[in-house]
Amino acid sequence: MNTSVLKYRSQAVAKPYFIAALGLFTAQILFGLGLGLQYLVGDFLFPYIPFNVARMVHTNLLIVWLLFGFMGSAYYLVPEEAETELHSPKLALALFWIFLVAGALTIVGYLTVPYARLAELTGNDLLQTMGREFLEQPLPTKLGIVVVALGFLFNISMTVLKGRKTSISLVLLMGLWGLALMFLFSFVNPHNLVRDKMYWWFVVHLWVEGVWELILGALLAYVLIRTTGVDREVIDKWLYVIIAFALMTGILGTGHHFYFIGLPGYWQWIGSIFSALEPIPFFMMTVFAFNMVQRRRREHPNQAAVLWAVGTSVMGFLGAGLWGFIHTLSPVNYYTHGTQVTAAHGHLAFYGAYVLVVITMISYAMPTLRGRLAAPRAAQTCEMWSFWLMTISMGVMVLALTGAGILQVWLQRLPESGAMGFMSTQDQLRVFYWIRLAGGVGFLGGLITYLASFFITGDECEPVNAGETGATPARA
Ligand code: HEM
Ligand code: HEM
Ligand SMILES: [Fe+2]
């Protein structure tokens, strides 16, 4: 393998992580399409893959491939930032295989054994952790995740400790340690339903609206430094302000999930106020990305990576910031809670922030892992098409679900008397579900286009200086 453009040989361990991430992403989308069809043709694939199983596979694959993406990104980024080889590339490769095999076995378990039987077989009676959305994994898988996470954190923490310590690697490390720490709450599953829900949100909310935002900020800052050449000091300042705001709003913002689960009434206020401020760090990320691209000192040959980075900042703001805000105030959430509005937000936020940031890293790193600075021109054009195809299709899905959600609230939630029942309401929403399915098919098309871009060969783009292209020269 020609890895001459890699600054450190050990960065190469990121490659299998990225390939696995894209493979599992494709599987996630196929299950998504199955789910979308089951909404319309109730017994599609029944009894082989019922809705509850397909849903669990869809969401678990999402989390697992994002984790592969985060780990690959860390293995790629940390040696370069720390200016030293990875502590142990062998450990990184061993953990890759352990995680892949454990993940695959878990999915096979979901698909072949009834869930209750799986729980019996895997020792759920010893410590009852199964049955909660996103955290359905059997006990051995959960323990495996902890082992892999500890090995991974040990490896990259040792690398940072022996090398240069930059803000980017420190923020990334904080995010990754936080991710592992918050996951420990998945082992806390009290019989009291109120406390059960509360700890569940400690994982789900404090991940996506807490520690994962640090990972997001660090990865975005890294790609922006590399592709724009803007001074590290400028980027560091942005990064610190963004993550400070993320934590200040996100931690107490957890209260937006405590409105109606049996916790004290003051959470209506705390949750509403702090979560209403959560869009701020996401908006700052958008301003940050545009600002850095404007101040760029050079035209990096990998312009596709720049598009993905800017796209992440915009779509992350729309999905998390805007679509989060619309249902976050307690008097609104009273009506929208658990409707299709939630699903619309869940899709756009996960896609806009975390799916896109992982693709940004893959698009930046993959050419260098294959021995060149940037993908051929034609391949980058193809990537840019895939960005627009995926993003517009996701937009279609999300607008359809938002429409469905609004109608659902109107028919089923708003009327003081004579409200329509759940299933009769669902019947009225079919046209939106068809549009969602069409969006999903378009999304798969975009993903296939992205995968195809890796196989396109052709002329390499040459690096160009800012002066030659008339791009804005760097400002002090
Ligand atoms: C990238 C960041 C984010 C991601 C990935 C994300 C994802 C999700 C997901 C998947 C759910 C559904 C959980 C479930 O019940 O199964 C959810 C719920 C929710 N999110 Fe977010 N979210 C993010 C940021 C935000 C922000 C910034 C806000 C507020 C401004 C917000 C407000 C909400 C609210 C209020 C709910 C509860 C909806 C309900 O009551 O049914 N989210 N989020
Ligand atoms: C990158 C793309 C995608 C991401 C990030 C994603 C993410 C998610 C998430 C987080 C959930 C749980 C939502 C919640 O509880 O509110 C979910 C459920 C679901 N997804 Fe996706 N998904 C994607 C693509 C798709 C596609 C292409 C389809 C199909 C057209 C699809 C169909 C569904 C369905 C039907 C559910 C179940 C909703 C329910 O329980 O009512 N997803 N997805
Ligand atoms: Fe939340």
Side-chain angles (χ1 to χ4, degrees):
M1 182 174 50
N2 174 7
T3 51
S4 55
V5 291
L6 281 186
K7 293 202 175 74
Y8 296 89
R9 283 172 63 92
S10 53
Q11 287 179 289
V13 298
K15 197 175 178 183
Y17 280 87
F18 289 152
I19 294 172
L22 292 177
L24 297 171
F25 181 20
T26 310
Q28 182 222 329
I29 298 310
L30 293 177
F31 277 91
L33 285 175
L35 286 165
L37 205 55
Q38 284 174 335
Y39 251 85
L40 290 154
V41 184
D43 48 11
F44 175 65
L45 289 181
F46 188 82
Y48 307 104
I49 310 181
F51 181 84
N52 64 319
V53 173
R55 189 186 198 286
M56 184 162 68
V57 175
H58 178 64
T59 52
N60 282 230
L61 279 172
L62 169 69
I63 302 298
V64 168
W65 84 258
L66 290 178
L67 293 181
F68 268 108
F70 290 164
M71 288 195 273
S73 303
Y75 286 132
Y76 182 86
L77 173 160
V78 165
E80 211 174 290
E81 286 289 298
E83 294 182 338
T84 175
E85 293 288 354
L86 193 64
H87 176 70
S88 168
K90 281 208 183 82
L91 176 62
L93 273 182
L95 291 176
F96 168 78
W97 287 110
I98 294 174
F99 197 40
L100 190 64
V101 170
L105 282 178
T106 306
I107 301 292
V108 170
Y110 288 161
L111 289 172
T112 54
V113 185
Y115 193 69
R117 181 94 185 96
L118 188 65
E120 266 172 41
L121 288 174
T122 55
N124 193 53
D125 48 339
L126 298 176
L127 182 63
Q128 297 178 350
T129 68
M130 290 174 72
R132 299 191 288 179
E133 193 198 355
F134 293 111
L135 307 179
E136 293 94 345
Q137 307 82 24
L139 187 59
T141 310
K142 284 203 182 76
L143 293 171
I145 293 174
V146 172
V147 170
V148 170
L150 286 178
F152 159 74
L153 286 168
F154 167 75
N155 208 352
I156 56 165
S157 302
M158 292 302 283
T159 313
V160 171
L161 282 177
K162 75 171 169 175
R164 181 176 70 143
K165 289 146 196 77
T166 63
S167 322
I168 290 183
S169 53
L170 292 178
V171 170
L172 181 68
L173 262 185
M174 273 170 54
L176 292 166
W177 273 100
L179 185 158
L181 224 59
M182 298 327 291
F183 183 71
L184 296 180
F185 284 105
S186 74
F187 292 94
V188 185
N189 188 7
H191 286 292
N192 177 321
L193 201 60
V194 178
R195 297 180 61 230
D196 159 359
K197 277 286 166 199
M198 200 181 78
Y199 289 120
W200 181 77
W201 284 114
F202 280 15
V203 186
V204 176
H205 171 101
L206 289 177
W207 264 8
V208 299
E209 292 158 73
V211 290
W212 285 29
E213 277 184 67
L214 308 196
I215 301 172
L216 170 64
L219 298 183
L220 209 54
Y222 168 80
V223 173
L224 287 171
I225 284 195
R226 296 288 156 192
T227 53
T228 65
V230 171
D231 284 345
R232 196 173 271 277
E233 293 74 54
V234 180
I235 294 210
D236 283 357
K237 272 185 210 140
W238 276 97
L239 183 58
Y240 280 129
V241 178
I242 289 170
I243 65 155
F245 264 90
L247 294 177
M248 282 186 311
T249 58
I251 294 175
L252 283 175
T254 319
H256 65 182
H257 303 293
F258 295 169
Y259 299 151
F260 313 115
I261 65 170
L263 283 164
Y266 50 76
W267 285 109
Q268 310 284 333
W269 286 98
I270 301 178
S272 294
I273 292 170
F274 282 88
S275 69
L277 300 174
E278 281 185 47
I280 294 174
F282 285 98
F283 184 65
M284 288 199 309
M285 279 190 231
T286 317
V287 179
F288 170 51
F290 276 97
N291 210 298
M292 294 308 105
V293 171
Q294 234 169 29
R295 286 178 177 219
R296 69 189 176 278
R297 285 164 178 271
R298 59 164 184 254
E299 293 293 328
H300 191 278
N302 191 343
Q303 284 300 307
V306 177
L307 175 65
W308 290 109
V310 172
T312 305
S313 74
V314 174
M315 298 311 293
F317 169 68
L318 291 180
L322 198 59
W323 255 259
F325 184 79
I326 57 174
H327 61 163
T328 205
L329 300 174
S330 104
V332 178
N333 194 259
Y334 178 77
Y335 294 101
T336 59
H337 177 65
T339 61
Q340 296 297 332
V341 174
T342 307
H345 156 68
H347 278 88
L348 196 59
F350 259 113
Y351 171 72
Y354 300 117
V355 169
L356 282 182
V357 80
V358 169
I359 301 186
T360 302
M361 274 302 296
I362 294 179
S363 283
Y364 174 76
M366 210 48 157
T368 70
L369 292 165
R370 301 168 83 198
R372 56 205 308 180
L373 203 54
R377 205 179 294 274
Q380 288 195 41
T381 307
C382 181
E383 261 190 60
M384 293 185 186
W385 272 98
S386 80
F387 168 82
W388 288 109
L389 254 171
M390 276 198 259
T391 302
I392 291 170
S393 305
M394 182 48 80
V396 169
M397 285 176 59
V398 166
L399 288 177
L401 290 175
T402 308
I406 292 171
L407 187 55
Q408 186 183 6
V409 168
W410 180 260
L411 297 175
Q412 188 194 323
R413 296 278 172 89
L414 273 178
E416 290 288 324
S417 62
M420 204 181 256
F422 179 83
M423 288 314 284
S424 323
T425 307
Q426 292 300 313
D427 272 343
Q428 304 294 316
L429 307 180
R430 288 178 73 84
V431 57
F432 291 110
Y433 294 142
W434 277 113
I435 302 172
R436 183 256 299 269
L437 189 61
V441 172
F443 192 92
L444 180 66
L447 176 57
I448 292 171
T449 309
Y450 180 61
L451 297 177
S453 77
F454 289 101
F455 298 96
I456 294 179
T457 52
D459 291 342
E460 193 148 346
C461 302
E462 292 304 323
V464 197
N465 291 325
E468 291 169 25
T469 58
T472 326
R475 268 171 263 149

